Amino acid sequence: MAKEEAEMLTVELTKKWMELFYDEIDKNKAYLSELDTPIGDGDHGNNMKRGVTGVKEGLAKLKEPDLKATLQAIAMALISKVGGASGPLYGTAFLEMAKKCNETQKPEELFTVALEGIKKRGGAKEGDKTMVDVWAPIVKTFSDGSFSKEEIKKAVESTKDMEARKGRASYLGERSIGHLDPGAMSSGYLFETFIDAGGTK
Amino acid sequence: MAKEEAEMLTVELTKKWMELFYDEIDKNKAYLSELDTPIGDGDHGNNMKRGVTGVKEGLAKLKEPDLKATLQAIAMALISKVGGASGPLYGTAFLEMAKKCNETQKPEELFTVALEGIKKRGGAKEGDKTMVDVWAPIVKTFSDGSFSKEEIKKAVESTKDMEARKGRASYLGERSIGHLDPGAMSSGYLFETFIDAGGTK
Amino acid sequence: MKQMKKIINSPQDVVPEMVDGLVRSYPEYLERIPDTEAVVRSDKASMKGKVGIVSGGGSGHEPAHAGFVGKGMLSAAVCGQVFTSPTPDQIYKAIQAVDQGKGVFLVIKNYSGDVMNFEMAKDMADVDGIKVKSIIVDDDIAVENSLYTQGKRGVAGTVIMHKLVGAAADQGASLDELEELAKNALPHISTLAVALSAATVPEVGKPGFELADDEIEYGVGIHSEPGYRREKIKTSKKLVGELITKLDEQQHLDPEKQYAVLVNGMGATPLMEQYIFSHDVLDKLAEKKIKPAFMKVGNYMTSIDMAGISLTIFELTDKKWLEYLNYSVETVGW
Amino acid sequence: MKQMKKIINSPQDVVPEMVDGLVRSYPEYLERIPDTEAVVRSDKASMKGKVGIVSGGGSGHEPAHAGFVGKGMLSAAVCGQVFTSPTPDQIYKAIQAVDQGKGVFLVIKNYSGDVMNFEMAKDMADVDGIKVKSIIVDDDIAVENSLYTQGKRGVAGTVIMHKLVGAAADQGASLDELEELAKNALPHISTLAVALSAATVPEVGKPGFELADDEIEYGVGIHSEPGYRREKIKTSKKLVGELITKLDEQQHLDPEKQYAVLVNGMGATPLMEQYIFSHDVLDKLAEKKIKPAFMKVGNYMTSIDMAGISLTIFELTDKKWLEYLNYSVETVGW
Ligand SMILES: Nc1ncnc2c1ncn2[C@@H]1O[C@H](COP(=O)(O)OP(=O)(O)O)[C@@H](O)[C@H]1O
Ligand SMILES: Nc1ncnc2c1ncn2[C@@H]1O[C@H](COP(=O)(O)OP(=O)(O)O)[C@@H](O)[C@H]1O
Ligand SMILES: [Mg+2]
Ligand SMILES: [Mg+2]
Ligand SMILES: [Mg+2]
Ligand SMILES: [Mg+2]
């Protein structure tokens, strides 16, 4: 596990990141919906695809934006295109980052406020089998420098054995055990593409 | 083909006839509905079964009836229980017989007025692929004394190659060719059980 | 062949239980005529001094016909066995129950069974001295008209007829006026359907016909009577295109004229699909520079659990007719 | 697995085409809010000086929610993607479109997505100075309530809530009064469903779950969320027995109390079956010496083409509530 320091967030990095995120979601749309079928309503891939398409269009419209405008555009696209549970959560995450980014561009600090936003918006805690179970451990990896694809995969995998207590999967109770959480998976893609975009030195 | 003269219609003969008709319909309920499926709506067996059940109940309620009351009870039961196209037709047939039976008890004369009633009620002519294609030739057999099960079967069979011009089967046009008409079949049972009940010497 | 899967008790009890459920769920509108499967308005005052309107037919077309009983529409409806005309004695009782001395008008769908049973009921009422007139609705253009056959079938357009004569009767029209209204309107009402699956009559237990998973049939009747063509399933736009082309041949759609449109679900077709279909109908009519003066979308004349849809176009050659369509009613189904 | 067979064009266009079809079919009631999939009353005068009522959610529940927009009921409804909550910007536009300075009341079904998106819209309206209050409907007793989970789902009882707050708002109730009304009524509304088949989301193309030809499932949600038990199909009487037993455990049905009953078809269940089911509901309640003070049967909160039915029982502890239920409305769906 490579111990690497994270890059500061810039407009270029963010744009590259969103391009790669688009590709990853596009590639895995069916898989995300499949994950959402046994424990949800089978639309997470479609929802996210609408979202990243909106992000692409939103960013294309911006002329020489600063980081705040960039993050805000991402947030608004996600909020207005995704719908469902994941839309407000991803949207809030980027909105919180936009609010904070004039103060700091350190990924760990921005992801920390994003995670707080997600928790506040959705009320989920760690262990509830949601995207929080990827965001929370990953944010922690920044402090000990263990942020990496391995850690991301581990976090995503960890949702498999959990019993859902938030979102649609919670209606299944115990029967939700044994399935990966789709929102955890898409959050995994988000962090992986951050790495691929050069988010670590 | 035995040349036999028909018995006069009596209360006893009529009752016996209706008992046998009940049994025949009961036994062939599914078959009649099956015949009604390719060229109708698949309910002729059910319709007739409701009818003969009503006839049985209606006759059981009569105390020492005369022939007119007997035929009238049969007519009312058929009219009020069968529904569909066959109900008014069979009902009218027996109603016309009831009207005429104080004047004559000769089967050929009673069946003649019955046939006229059916034709008037339904507007069908011979060759339209309906029960008329059994009633019309059978009524004729009385004059030359050829009334028999063979003639009944022949009449029923004759509907197979006809193209329907009345009733639901008419919506099929040419596609109705090749199927027996269900109302012709049940009329065949009516005449056959008349023979079995002793309607011929 | 798929097994029948229905929320019922015994197939034989479908009609009495259904009528009972309907009437007891809506006592403010409906009452059962004793010893019958016929339903009459509970608001008797609304019938005072007016011509009674009676319709009915086989069951399986819910909300037709009993769901259209109420102030401003039908006075009574007679429910036959599933897909089987009601019997004359029941129709006769309904006629008696609604007659106010002004006569009774019957709305009959053009099937041999219905026509004969209603006619026998009319004969019975004649003996009583009740004046009875009637219209035989035959709006389904899937079937060729001909003097030598039963002719066209009565389908969703029947509900339009209920609405017209119901509104006129409520406004005090006489029996003769109702007959004239019905006769005038009838040739302007045309309907055509497309089926995605057939209905399953509970006592039969299997669908009236089989369509492949990717097949549809144009021109199917409301008792699974065969249509005029089978095809691979098409987009809603193309289905609409076919139906409107045929309806246009019949009606000669004209931007100078006014039209009412009824989009009718066959029982198992969700409103989602009906609204999409309506969107395409409106687009297609707009191409012809026609904007309906009246439109309604929903389940009105169903075929039990058939998946499919019918389109009725009614040319409003008399401006009273639009008023009648918009006239307020108190019914379960309109 | 059966292939999808639907009257649609492209699965992606289902929602915009459906909303367009609905609005253009009923211009007398409905208008589209520009650049949205949200629908608002066309009779603007009916909203004057009154608190606005906005609801909505994923599409696929037609006539909910847009079909309940009209005088006396909703002011606007926001239509999300199929089975997907609408987005906050659209909800926010609906709030803006109906606000008359008296505030806006939101009726939200209890799903994480709906709750979050409506809350974000509320935040946006706050910034504008529009007063917004809301109720989160959670009437589906199939799911155990718990502080530690999302809790119960919002299903057909939501339509009852629309009716109550819609009528009260039309009679001039303030935002606070509406909130109180909604809060008081909510715990008295309980719903339970039984499914015979699952819904097919057009973009997914296959049913949300599979039931054998002779299997039913109790407690299924309106997005094919799993229920609490699968069984061989039973008679309507027995299905009703199971649902009423569970509802009784929740509500403690009492002959001294008044009840409203909503029997709701899930989309592909014909009225024939719904009326039979209602007959059995009324029989079962009669055994408990209960006769509903209000009853309604039909498709109100559907699940696309799901075959199934839900039963809602609403205890009328306040006599105003019955008045609200009977209050006259001008909508497509009620
Ligand atoms: N309250 C919540 N807090 C955090 N994440 C949540 C919450 N509810 C749902 N999620 C996430 O959202 C994902 C589902 O998103 P999606 O399928 O797009 O929305 P919906 O459930 O409305 O269909 C879940 O897998 C889960 O990770
Ligand atoms: N106009 C008519 N004249 C004579 N017989 C007719 C006529 N219409 C229908 N029938 C007879 O009725 C039979 C169908 O009866 P049935 O299935 O009970 O009624 P329905 O067609 O209403 O379902 C046909 O097979 C035919 O013999
Ligand atoms: Mg989902
Ligand atoms: Mg038949
Ligand atoms: Mg029949
Ligand atoms: Mg969803």
Side-chain angles (χ1 to χ4, degrees):
Chain A
M1 220 176 298
K3 192 169 168 170
E4 299 180 283
E5 211 174 306
E7 282 281 4
M8 291 293 151
L9 202 64
T10 62
V11 172
E12 290 65 45
L13 173 54
T14 307
K15 281 186 165 175
K16 181 80 198 154
W17 177 23
M18 287 299 115
E19 275 166 32
L20 295 175
F21 188 46
Y22 176 95
D23 294 342
E24 197 66 16
I25 292 293
D26 187 44
K27 205 170 70 193
N28 293 293
K29 183 180 123 165
Y31 176 57
L32 287 173
S33 287
E34 224 171 81
L35 288 179
D36 196 29
T37 299
I39 60 168
D41 57 353
D43 62 359
H44 189 57
N46 288 322
N47 293 349
M48 292 305 295
K49 179 67 197 292
R50 275 199 313 277
V52 292
T53 306
V55 167
K56 192 178 238 181
E57 288 166 6
L59 291 180
K61 273 188 216 138
L62 291 182
K63 305 209 179 299
E64 304 186 25
D66 58 11
L67 184 59
K68 183 169 181 175
T70 305
L71 291 168
Q72 217 165 3
I74 296 169
M76 290 320 292
L78 292 170
I79 287 170
S80 66
K81 296 298 174 199
V82 180
S86 49
L89 292 167
Y90 279 116
T92 301
F94 279 89
L95 210 55
E96 293 300 324
M97 285 162 67
K99 282 194 212 160
K100 187 84 177 178
C101 73
N102 281 348
E103 205 179 297
T104 172
Q105 292 85 46
K106 278 195 175 169
E108 56 262 50
E109 291 183 19
L110 294 173
F111 288 151
T112 299
V113 293
L115 168 60
E116 275 160 20
I118 290 174
K119 280 179 155 177
K120 203 167 152 219
R121 179 61 65 200
K125 292 185 304 296
E126 276 181 79
D128 285 353
K129 195 182 183 98
T130 70
M131 59 174 69
V132 169
D133 295 306
V134 169
W135 281 80
I138 289 306
V139 162
K140 278 182 212 135
T141 60
F142 284 94
S143 28
D144 62 13
S146 67
F147 177 59
S148 65
K149 291 202 178 178
E150 287 77 10
E151 288 299 314
I152 297 168
K153 283 216 167 59
K154 234 168 70 185
V156 172
E157 282 294 327
S158 78
T159 64
K160 191 162 188 169
D161 295 334
M162 294 178 184
E163 179 177 334
R165 278 191 292 267
K166 286 286 168 196
R168 286 177 199 286
S170 68
Y171 305 127
L172 283 152
E174 286 180 1
R175 286 173 287 169
S176 64
I177 296 173
H179 299 279
L180 285 180
D181 176 63
M185 190 74 236
S186 60
S187 294
Y189 295 149
L190 185 73
F191 287 114
E192 279 172 12
T193 51
F194 180 71
I195 292 176
D196 291 339
T200 44
K201 278 197 199 120
Chain B
M1 223 177 295
K3 189 166 169 171
E4 299 178 284
E5 210 175 305
E7 283 279 4
M8 290 294 150
L9 201 64
T10 61
V11 172
E12 289 66 46
L13 172 55
T14 308
K15 280 187 165 173
K16 181 78 199 156
W17 177 23
M18 287 300 115
E19 275 167 31
L20 296 175
F21 188 46
Y22 176 95
D23 294 342
E24 199 65 16
I25 293 293
D26 187 43
K27 206 168 71 193
N28 294 293
K29 182 180 125 166
Y31 176 56
L32 288 173
S33 287
E34 226 169 80
L35 288 180
D36 197 28
T37 300
I39 60 167
D41 57 352
D43 61 359
H44 189 58
N46 289 321
N47 292 350
M48 291 307 294
K49 179 67 198 293
R50 274 198 314 277
V52 293
T53 305
V55 168
K56 189 179 238 178
E57 288 166 5
L59 291 179
K61 273 189 214 142
L62 291 182
K63 304 209 180 299
E64 305 186 24
D66 58 12
L67 183 59
K68 183 169 179 172
T70 305
L71 291 168
Q72 217 166 2
I74 295 169
M76 291 318 294
L78 292 171
I79 288 170
S80 66
K81 297 295 175 200
V82 179
S86 49
L89 293 167
Y90 279 116
T92 299
F94 279 88
L95 210 55
E96 293 301 324
M97 287 162 68
K99 281 194 212 159
K100 187 82 175 179
C101 72
N102 282 348
E103 206 179 292
T104 173
Q105 293 86 44
K106 279 195 176 167
E108 55 264 51
E109 292 183 16
L110 294 173
F111 289 151
T112 299
V113 293
L115 168 61
E116 276 159 20
I118 291 174
K119 280 180 156 177
K120 205 170 149 213
R121 178 62 65 202
K125 294 183 304 294
E126 277 181 78
D128 285 354
K129 196 183 182 99
T130 70
M131 59 173 71
V132 168
D133 294 306
V134 169
W135 280 80
I138 289 308
V139 162
K140 279 182 212 138
T141 60
F142 284 95
S143 28
D144 61 13
S146 68
F147 177 58
S148 65
K149 291 205 180 177
E150 286 76 11
E151 288 299 316
I152 297 168
K153 284 214 166 58
K154 233 169 69 186
V156 172
E157 283 295 326
S158 77
T159 63
K160 191 162 188 169
D161 294 334
M162 295 176 181
E163 179 178 332
R165 277 190 293 267
K166 287 284 169 198
R168 286 179 199 286
S170 68
Y171 304 127
L172 284 152
E174 287 181 0
R175 286 174 286 170
S176 65
I177 296 173
H179 299 278
L180 286 179
D181 177 63
M185 190 74 237
S186 60
S187 293
Y189 296 150
L190 185 73
F191 288 114
E192 279 172 12
T193 52
F194 180 71
I195 293 176
D196 293 338
T200 44
K201 274 196 202 120
Chain C
M1 180 94 53
K2 248 195 114 184
Q3 213 196 301
M4 175 169 74
K5 199 178 196 181
K6 287 180 188 287
I7 303 173
I8 60 170
N9 294 299
S10 143
Q12 291 81 39
D13 297 334
V14 156
V15 176
E17 289 185 355
M18 173 175 74
V19 172
D20 178 84
L22 173 64
V23 168
R24 282 162 73 201
S25 297
Y26 293 99
E28 65 277 32
Y29 297 133
L30 304 175
E31 238 175 65
R32 193 164 178 153
I33 300 176
D35 303 320
T36 70
E37 242 77 88
V39 166
V40 64
R41 289 189 206 172
S42 46
D43 176 6
K44 296 293 184 304
S46 72
M47 308 201 289
K48 271 264 144 35
K50 288 168 187 167
V51 175
I53 311 282
V54 173
S55 189
S59 290
H61 308 303
E62 297 66 33
H65 304 79
F68 300 120
V69 171
K71 183 170 161 42
M73 217 162 160
L74 302 181
S75 312
V78 196
C79 308
Q81 290 296 313
V82 178
F83 287 2
T84 302
S85 164
T87 57
D89 54 313
Q90 302 229 346
I91 302 166
Y92 172 52
K93 280 185 186 146
I95 292 172
Q96 287 180 308
V98 307
D99 178 50
Q100 309 280 320
K102 303 282 176 181
V104 175
F105 191 76
L106 308 180
V107 181
I108 309 168
K109 299 199 297 307
N110 190 31
Y111 299 96
S112 348
D114 290 69
V115 172
M116 288 188 271
N117 284 289
F118 275 83
E119 267 175 7
M120 288 187 87
K122 201 167 164 179
D123 292 350
M124 294 174 180
D126 272 350
V127 178
D128 266 11
I130 302 177
K131 277 170 294 172
V132 177
K133 297 205 164 204
S134 61
I135 186 81
I136 297 177
V137 181
D138 62 345
D139 57 314
D140 189 349
I141 65 160
V143 174
E144 291 286 319
N145 215 348
S146 158
L147 274 177
Y148 307 105
T149 67
Q150 184 60 37
K152 295 185 294 166
R153 300 177 294 237
V155 290
T158 311
V159 181
I160 299 277
M161 189 57 79
H162 291 162
K163 189 69 180 68
L164 296 177
V165 296
D170 201 58
Q171 294 176 25
S174 71
L175 190 57
D176 288 338
E177 286 166 346
L178 290 176
E179 188 186 33
E180 209 195 311
L181 162 64
K183 274 194 180 154
N184 288 340
L186 185 62
H188 299 292
I189 307 175
S190 304
T191 301
L192 196 55
V194 57
L196 279 64
S197 76
T200 297
V201 174
E203 285 199 281
V204 177
K206 56 186 185 195
F209 56 84
E210 287 286 325
L211 281 172
D213 269 9
D214 60 351
E215 243 182 359
I216 55 106
E217 184 166 335
Y218 294 112
V220 168
I222 56 171
H223 312 95
S224 301
E225 291 96 343
Y228 63 82
R229 195 166 79 238
R230 282 191 184 192
E231 271 184 6
K232 297 273 166 208
I233 185 156
K234 299 267 173 314
T235 59
S236 166
K237 243 179 259 309
K238 290 201 172 130
L239 299 179
V240 165
E242 166 73 18
L243 300 189
I244 292 205
T245 301
K246 283 269 187 308
L247 287 161
D248 194 8
E249 282 168 16
Q250 184 79 18
Q251 295 225 342
H252 311 292
L253 298 172
D254 178 346
E256 302 294 308
K257 293 177 179 167
Q258 273 205 319
Y259 296 93
V261 170
L262 181 71
V263 170
N264 175 58
M266 294 310 236
T269 293
L271 283 174
M272 171 186 280
E273 296 173 42
Q274 296 184 36
Y275 292 142
I276 291 172
F277 181 90
S278 299
H279 156 88
D280 292 321
V281 167
L282 287 161
D283 274 2
K284 199 83 199 162
L285 291 176
E287 278 175 25
K288 296 179 188 294
K289 308 236 174 330
I290 290 169
K291 195 178 163 192
F294 178 93
M295 182 151 177
K296 230 169 144 64
V297 187
N299 299 332
Y300 299 101
M301 179 67 75
T302 61
S303 180
I304 316 180
D305 54 354
M306 180 187 280
I309 206 159
S310 75
L311 176 61
T312 302
I313 295 188
F314 174 29
E315 187 195 323
L316 302 165
T317 60
D318 185 327
K319 69 179 190 310
K320 284 291 278 176
W321 298 352
L322 182 57
E323 265 175 56
Y324 291 149
L325 289 175
N326 283 313
Y327 191 73
S328 129
V329 296
E330 291 168 19
T331 68
V332 172
W334 178 253
Chain D
M1 181 93 53
K2 248 194 115 186
Q3 214 196 301
M4 175 168 75
K5 199 178 197 180
K6 287 182 189 286
I7 303 172
I8 60 172
N9 294 301
S10 143
Q12 291 82 39
D13 296 334
V14 156
V15 176
E17 290 187 355
M18 172 175 75
V19 172
D20 177 84
L22 173 65
V23 168
R24 280 163 71 201
S25 297
Y26 293 98
E28 66 277 33
Y29 298 134
L30 303 176
E31 238 175 64
R32 193 163 177 154
I33 300 175
D35 304 319
T36 69
E37 242 77 89
V39 167
V40 64
R41 290 188 206 174
S42 45
D43 176 6
K44 295 292 184 306
S46 73
M47 307 203 289
K48 271 265 145 32
K50 288 166 187 168
V51 175
I53 311 283
V54 173
S55 189
S59 289
H61 308 303
E62 297 66 33
H65 305 81
F68 301 120
V69 170
K71 182 170 160 45
M73 219 160 158
L74 301 182
S75 312
V78 195
C79 308
Q81 289 297 313
V82 178
F83 287 2
T84 302
S85 164
T87 56
D89 53 315
Q90 302 229 346
I91 303 167
Y92 171 55
K93 280 185 185 144
I95 292 171
Q96 285 180 308
V98 306
D99 179 50
Q100 308 281 320
K102 304 282 176 179
V104 175
F105 191 76
L106 308 178
V107 181
I108 309 167
K109 300 200 295 310
N110 189 32
Y111 300 95
S112 344
D114 290 70
V115 171
M116 288 189 274
N117 284 290
F118 275 83
E119 268 176 8
M120 287 185 87
K122 201 167 163 178
D123 292 351
M124 294 174 179
D126 273 350
V127 177
D128 265 11
I130 302 177
K131 276 170 295 170
V132 177
K133 298 206 165 204
S134 61
I135 186 80
I136 297 176
V137 181
D138 62 346
D139 57 313
D140 188 351
I141 65 160
V143 174
E144 292 286 320
N145 215 347
S146 158
L147 274 178
Y148 307 105
T149 67
Q150 183 61 36
K152 295 185 293 164
R153 299 178 293 240
V155 289
T158 310
V159 181
I160 300 276
M161 187 58 79
H162 292 161
K163 189 71 179 70
L164 296 177
V165 296
D170 200 58
Q171 293 176 27
S174 69
L175 190 58
D176 288 338
E177 286 165 347
L178 290 176
E179 187 185 33
E180 209 195 312
L181 162 64
K183 274 194 180 154
N184 287 340
L186 185 62
H188 299 292
I189 307 175
S190 304
T191 300
L192 195 56
V194 57
L196 278 65
S197 75
T200 297
V201 174
E203 285 199 280
V204 177
K206 54 187 187 193
F209 56 84
E210 285 286 325
L211 281 171
D213 269 9
D214 61 351
E215 243 182 0
I216 54 105
E217 183 165 336
Y218 295 113
V220 168
I222 56 172
H223 311 95
S224 301
E225 292 95 344
Y228 63 82
R229 197 166 78 239
R230 281 191 183 193
E231 271 184 7
K232 296 274 165 209
I233 184 156
K234 300 267 173 313
T235 60
S236 167
K237 245 180 257 311
K238 289 200 173 131
L239 298 179
V240 165
E242 166 73 18
L243 299 190
I244 292 207
T245 300
K246 283 270 187 309
L247 287 162
D248 194 7
E249 282 167 16
Q250 185 79 15
Q251 294 225 344
H252 310 293
L253 298 173
D254 179 345
E256 303 294 307
K257 293 178 178 166
Q258 273 205 319
Y259 296 93
V261 170
L262 181 70
V263 170
N264 174 59
M266 296 309 237
T269 293
L271 281 174
M272 172 185 279
E273 296 175 40
Q274 296 185 37
Y275 292 143
I276 292 172
F277 180 90
S278 298
H279 156 88
D280 291 321
V281 167
L282 287 161
D283 273 2
K284 199 84 199 164
L285 290 176
E287 278 176 24
K288 298 181 188 291
K289 309 232 174 332
I290 291 170
K291 195 177 161 193
F294 178 93
M295 182 150 177
K296 229 170 147 64
V297 187
N299 298 333
Y300 299 101
M301 178 68 75
T302 61
S303 180
I304 317 179
D305 54 353
M306 181 187 281
I309 206 160
S310 75
L311 176 60
T312 302
I313 295 187
F314 173 29
E315 187 195 325
L316 302 165
T317 61
D318 184 327
K319 69 178 189 314
K320 284 291 280 175
W321 298 352
L322 182 57
E323 265 176 56
Y324 291 149
L325 289 174
N326 283 313
Y327 191 74
S328 130
V329 296
E330 290 167 21
T331 68
V332 172
W334 177 254

